[in-house]
Short mmCIF file of all heavy atoms in Angstrom, two decimals:
data_model
loop_
_atom_site.label_atom_id
_atom_site.label_comp_id
_atom_site.label_asym_id
_atom_site.label_seq_id
_atom_site.Cartn_x
_atom_site.Cartn_y
_atom_site.Cartn_z
N SER A 81 102.84 -197.66 -22.62
CA SER A 81 103.07 -198.61 -21.53
C SER A 81 101.68 -199.02 -21.04
O SER A 81 100.66 -198.66 -21.64
CB SER A 81 103.87 -197.96 -20.40
OG SER A 81 103.10 -196.97 -19.75
N ASP A 82 101.61 -199.75 -19.95
CA ASP A 82 100.31 -200.12 -19.40
C ASP A 82 99.55 -198.90 -18.90
O ASP A 82 98.32 -198.94 -18.81
CB ASP A 82 100.48 -201.11 -18.24
CG ASP A 82 100.95 -202.46 -18.72
OD1 ASP A 82 100.78 -202.76 -19.93
OD2 ASP A 82 101.48 -203.22 -17.90
N GLU A 83 100.26 -197.81 -18.58
CA GLU A 83 99.60 -196.65 -17.98
C GLU A 83 99.66 -195.36 -18.80
O GLU A 83 98.81 -194.51 -18.66
CB GLU A 83 100.22 -196.37 -16.60
CG GLU A 83 100.00 -197.48 -15.62
CD GLU A 83 100.64 -197.21 -14.28
OE1 GLU A 83 101.11 -196.07 -14.06
OE2 GLU A 83 100.68 -198.11 -13.44
N LYS A 84 100.68 -195.19 -19.64
CA LYS A 84 100.90 -193.92 -20.33
C LYS A 84 101.07 -194.12 -21.83
O LYS A 84 101.49 -195.17 -22.29
CB LYS A 84 102.16 -193.22 -19.80
CG LYS A 84 102.14 -192.88 -18.33
CD LYS A 84 101.23 -191.73 -18.04
CE LYS A 84 101.28 -191.36 -16.55
NZ LYS A 84 100.33 -190.32 -16.24
N ILE A 85 100.77 -193.06 -22.58
CA ILE A 85 101.10 -192.96 -24.00
C ILE A 85 102.04 -191.78 -24.14
O ILE A 85 101.82 -190.71 -23.56
CB ILE A 85 99.86 -192.73 -24.87
CG1 ILE A 85 98.91 -193.91 -24.76
CG2 ILE A 85 100.26 -192.50 -26.32
CD1 ILE A 85 97.59 -193.66 -25.45
N ILE A 86 103.10 -191.97 -24.90
CA ILE A 86 104.03 -190.89 -25.21
C ILE A 86 104.08 -190.77 -26.73
O ILE A 86 104.18 -191.78 -27.43
CB ILE A 86 105.42 -191.17 -24.62
CG1 ILE A 86 105.32 -191.27 -23.10
CG2 ILE A 86 106.41 -190.07 -25.03
CD1 ILE A 86 106.60 -191.72 -22.42
N PHE A 87 103.98 -189.54 -27.23
CA PHE A 87 104.03 -189.32 -28.68
C PHE A 87 104.67 -187.97 -28.94
O PHE A 87 104.81 -187.13 -28.05
CB PHE A 87 102.63 -189.40 -29.30
CG PHE A 87 101.67 -188.36 -28.82
CD1 PHE A 87 101.52 -187.16 -29.51
CD2 PHE A 87 100.92 -188.56 -27.67
CE1 PHE A 87 100.63 -186.19 -29.06
CE2 PHE A 87 100.03 -187.59 -27.21
CZ PHE A 87 99.89 -186.42 -27.91
N GLY A 88 105.08 -187.75 -30.18
CA GLY A 88 105.75 -186.52 -30.56
C GLY A 88 104.96 -185.69 -31.55
O GLY A 88 104.04 -186.18 -32.20
N TRP A 89 105.35 -184.43 -31.65
CA TRP A 89 104.82 -183.50 -32.64
C TRP A 89 106.02 -182.78 -33.25
O TRP A 89 106.66 -181.95 -32.61
CB TRP A 89 103.87 -182.52 -32.00
CG TRP A 89 103.34 -181.43 -32.90
CD1 TRP A 89 103.16 -181.49 -34.25
CD2 TRP A 89 102.91 -180.13 -32.50
NE1 TRP A 89 102.64 -180.31 -34.72
CE2 TRP A 89 102.48 -179.46 -33.67
CE3 TRP A 89 102.83 -179.47 -31.29
CZ2 TRP A 89 101.99 -178.15 -33.65
CZ3 TRP A 89 102.35 -178.17 -31.27
CH2 TRP A 89 101.93 -177.52 -32.43
N ALA A 90 106.35 -183.12 -34.50
CA ALA A 90 107.47 -182.49 -35.21
C ALA A 90 107.00 -181.18 -35.82
O ALA A 90 106.04 -181.15 -36.58
CB ALA A 90 107.99 -183.43 -36.29
N LEU A 91 107.70 -180.09 -35.47
CA LEU A 91 107.30 -178.76 -35.92
C LEU A 91 108.02 -178.41 -37.22
O LEU A 91 109.25 -178.35 -37.25
CB LEU A 91 107.64 -177.72 -34.85
CG LEU A 91 107.04 -177.98 -33.47
CD1 LEU A 91 107.49 -176.91 -32.49
CD2 LEU A 91 105.53 -178.05 -33.53
N ASP A 92 107.25 -178.16 -38.27
CA ASP A 92 107.87 -177.76 -39.54
C ASP A 92 107.81 -176.25 -39.71
O ASP A 92 107.28 -175.54 -38.86
CB ASP A 92 107.23 -178.50 -40.72
CG ASP A 92 105.76 -178.17 -40.92
OD1 ASP A 92 105.35 -177.03 -40.64
OD2 ASP A 92 105.02 -179.06 -41.38
N ASP A 93 108.34 -175.75 -40.83
CA ASP A 93 108.44 -174.31 -41.02
C ASP A 93 107.09 -173.64 -41.27
O ASP A 93 106.98 -172.43 -41.17
CB ASP A 93 109.44 -173.97 -42.12
CG ASP A 93 109.06 -174.55 -43.47
OD1 ASP A 93 108.20 -175.44 -43.54
OD2 ASP A 93 109.66 -174.12 -44.48
N THR A 94 106.06 -174.40 -41.57
CA THR A 94 104.73 -173.81 -41.67
C THR A 94 104.22 -173.45 -40.27
O THR A 94 103.62 -172.40 -40.06
CB THR A 94 103.74 -174.80 -42.34
OG1 THR A 94 104.28 -175.21 -43.59
CG2 THR A 94 102.39 -174.17 -42.55
N ILE A 95 104.49 -174.33 -39.32
CA ILE A 95 104.07 -174.09 -37.94
C ILE A 95 104.87 -172.95 -37.33
O ILE A 95 104.33 -172.13 -36.60
CB ILE A 95 104.22 -175.39 -37.11
CG1 ILE A 95 103.33 -176.48 -37.70
CG2 ILE A 95 103.89 -175.14 -35.64
CD1 ILE A 95 103.63 -177.88 -37.19
N THR A 96 106.15 -172.86 -37.64
CA THR A 96 107.01 -171.82 -37.07
C THR A 96 107.09 -170.58 -37.96
O THR A 96 108.03 -169.80 -37.86
CB THR A 96 108.43 -172.36 -36.81
OG1 THR A 96 109.01 -172.80 -38.04
CG2 THR A 96 108.41 -173.50 -35.80
N ALA A 97 106.10 -170.40 -38.83
CA ALA A 97 106.08 -169.22 -39.72
C ALA A 97 105.94 -167.94 -38.91
O ALA A 97 105.33 -167.93 -37.84
CB ALA A 97 104.92 -169.34 -40.71
N PRO A 98 106.49 -166.82 -39.42
CA PRO A 98 106.43 -165.56 -38.68
C PRO A 98 105.06 -164.88 -38.80
O PRO A 98 104.25 -165.25 -39.65
CB PRO A 98 107.50 -164.72 -39.38
CG PRO A 98 107.53 -165.24 -40.78
CD PRO A 98 107.25 -166.72 -40.66
N THR A 99 104.86 -163.87 -37.96
CA THR A 99 103.68 -163.02 -38.10
C THR A 99 103.82 -162.24 -39.39
O THR A 99 104.86 -162.27 -40.06
CB THR A 99 103.58 -162.03 -36.92
OG1 THR A 99 104.68 -161.13 -36.99
CG2 THR A 99 103.55 -162.73 -35.58
N ASN A 100 102.78 -161.50 -39.75
CA ASN A 100 102.83 -160.67 -40.96
C ASN A 100 103.91 -159.59 -40.87
O ASN A 100 104.39 -159.10 -41.89
CB ASN A 100 101.47 -160.03 -41.22
CG ASN A 100 100.42 -161.09 -41.53
OD1 ASN A 100 100.74 -162.15 -42.06
ND2 ASN A 100 99.18 -160.81 -41.18
N LYS A 101 104.32 -159.22 -39.65
CA LYS A 101 105.37 -158.22 -39.46
C LYS A 101 106.75 -158.86 -39.40
O LYS A 101 107.76 -158.18 -39.23
CB LYS A 101 105.13 -157.46 -38.16
CG LYS A 101 103.87 -156.62 -38.17
CD LYS A 101 103.70 -155.90 -36.85
CE LYS A 101 102.45 -155.06 -36.85
NZ LYS A 101 102.25 -154.37 -35.56
N GLY A 102 106.81 -160.20 -39.47
CA GLY A 102 108.10 -160.89 -39.41
C GLY A 102 108.53 -161.28 -38.01
O GLY A 102 109.64 -161.76 -37.82
N ASP A 103 107.66 -161.08 -37.02
CA ASP A 103 107.99 -161.45 -35.64
C ASP A 103 107.72 -162.94 -35.41
O ASP A 103 107.02 -163.59 -36.19
CB ASP A 103 107.15 -160.63 -34.66
CG ASP A 103 107.43 -159.15 -34.77
OD1 ASP A 103 108.58 -158.78 -35.06
OD2 ASP A 103 106.49 -158.35 -34.56
N GLY A 104 108.24 -163.43 -34.28
CA GLY A 104 108.04 -164.83 -33.93
C GLY A 104 106.62 -165.14 -33.52
O GLY A 104 105.95 -165.95 -34.11
N GLY A 105 106.14 -164.50 -32.49
CA GLY A 105 104.77 -164.69 -32.06
C GLY A 105 104.49 -165.99 -31.33
O GLY A 105 105.40 -166.64 -30.83
N LYS A 106 103.23 -166.36 -31.29
CA LYS A 106 102.78 -167.53 -30.54
C LYS A 106 102.13 -168.55 -31.47
O LYS A 106 101.50 -168.18 -32.45
CB LYS A 106 101.76 -167.13 -29.48
CG LYS A 106 102.33 -166.32 -28.35
CD LYS A 106 101.26 -166.09 -27.29
CE LYS A 106 101.80 -165.33 -26.11
NZ LYS A 106 102.79 -166.02 -25.34
#
Side-chain angles (χ1 to χ4, degrees):
S81 69
D82 290 340
E83 296 179 9
K84 299 286 183 185
I85 297 173
I86 299 172
F87 63 94
W89 175 28
L91 304 178
D92 64 33
D93 60 345
T94 306
I95 299 166
T96 61
T99 65
N100 295 332
K101 295 180 180 179
D103 297 327
K106 291 185 178 294

